[in-house]
Amino acid sequence: MRATVRGRIAVAAIAAACALAVTAVLVPAGRGQAAAGKGAAEGRTQAPVGAAARRAPAEGPAGPRDDCSASLNPASGSTDGAAVARIRARGRLLVGVDQNSYLWGFRDPATGRLAGFDIDIVKAIAQDVLGDSSKVQYLTVPTSQRIQAITDHRVDMVVRTMTVNCARAAQVAFSVPYFTAGQQLLTAKDSPVTGFDDSLKGRRVCTAKGSTGQSALDAAPHGARILALDNQLDCLVRLQLGQADAVFTDNALAAGQAAQDPTTHLVGQPVTREPYGVAMNLADDDLVRRVNQVLAQYESGGADSAWMQSYRTWLAKELPGITGPPAPVYR
């Protein structure tokens, strides 16, 4: 029975992956609808799923140690400068997204529109900057080409479960983190793989090119054979077809994949800390401050915040126990 279920899901996933593969690097993915709910929340205790990842990071004078997640304070300068003026003159926000990450950025088969936790954030930004959440041109961008799309100014920002780290922060500017995840393994439920350990020896482990998962695997492969593809959904297809033994990705994304294919599950514990941020061009300081201002409003208001409403809509079932967003750290 499992092979039959996997086969059906694999066919659907392959169709989606192939549809993406035949497009250009940046492809219009449709326009957003309806503004994200206003409202919002004060508690900031968000933590990723998994016992190990629920522990709060060590704090120093400037916030979490050994990361680069501190961002520009909206109160420290302009939130309405050249970058915001450029977007308003164009009349739409250009945003790099994913359309194949279930729960985060995906095309809803019922409506044909993009939806998910990341998409709700995009709508909130467009509503604030342009007064209309639908004034967005969504462009699909592979994991490996997110930074290039930003530095080339082909997009104003990328909102695509993008982890903030020091190497990337040298190339693009990040907002404060809006979610925290961790790298974890997704396998078939009957797999002998038990976690990010020597049970991977000789196994084929798939991850996205240019991802933090690829970096972690390169540093400590545990004898695995690494298969690096352009998109995480392609890794799920390889797992379903028996061409990979495990997928290594953010547990937040893997939870969505497990929801799509109930013959798979997360194993072991998260092995990294992955704060997601909105990525922008290093020259666009006013836009970074503006996005941080939007996030502060979006996340304020406790259990009634727009952030919590979006979490309950998209993530609570697969990533339970989260009570609020991560605390912002400004520089």
Side-chain angles (χ1 to χ4, degrees), residues 115-181:
F117 192 83
D118 279 345
I119 304 304
D120 284 352
I121 289 174
V122 173
K123 291 176 181 178
I125 295 169
Q127 180 67 39
D128 181 84
V129 174
L130 294 166
D132 187 340
S133 67
S134 71
K135 290 186 175 179
V136 181
Q137 183 173 352
Y138 293 100
L139 303 165
T140 59
V141 54
T143 303
S144 60
Q145 298 181 39
R146 293 175 297 188
I147 289 176
Q148 195 65 49
I150 295 165
T151 57
D152 289 350
H153 271 302
R154 286 177 285 167
V155 296
D156 298 310
M157 60 188 65
V158 166
V159 186
R160 193 187 183 284
T161 58
M162 189 167 178
T163 299
V164 181
N165 61 35
C166 293
R168 291 174 177 172
Q171 302 174 78
V172 296
F174 282 101
S175 70
V176 294
Y178 60 83
F179 196 88
T180 306

Side-chain angles (χ1 to χ4, degrees), residues 27-84:
V27 183
R31 293 183 180 270
Q33 306 289 329
K38 296 190 177 188
E42 258 149 298
R44 293 180 173 273
T45 55
Q46 189 269 329
V49 69
R54 286 183 190 280
R55 293 193 292 271
E59 296 283 328
R65 296 174 190 157
D66 301 322
D67 70 24
C68 294
S69 60
S71 185
L72 293 174
N73 192 326
S76 69
S78 174
T79 60
D80 200 9
V84 172

Side-chain angles (χ1 to χ4, degrees), residues 103-123:
L103 306 178
W104 292 88
F106 71 104
R107 193 165 294 283
D108 187 335
T111 65
R113 298 170 184 163
L114 288 175
F117 192 83
D118 279 345
I119 304 304
D120 284 352
I121 289 174
V122 173
K123 291 176 181 178

Side-chain angles (χ1 to χ4, degrees), residues 256-267:
Q257 293 176 354
Q260 289 176 292
D261 185 348
T263 69
T264 66
H265 67 160
L266 286 159
V267 297

Side-chain angles (χ1 to χ4, degrees), residues 264-275:
T264 66
H265 67 160
L266 286 159
V267 297
Q269 294 294 331
V271 297
T272 62
R273 179 177 175 272
E274 308 284 341

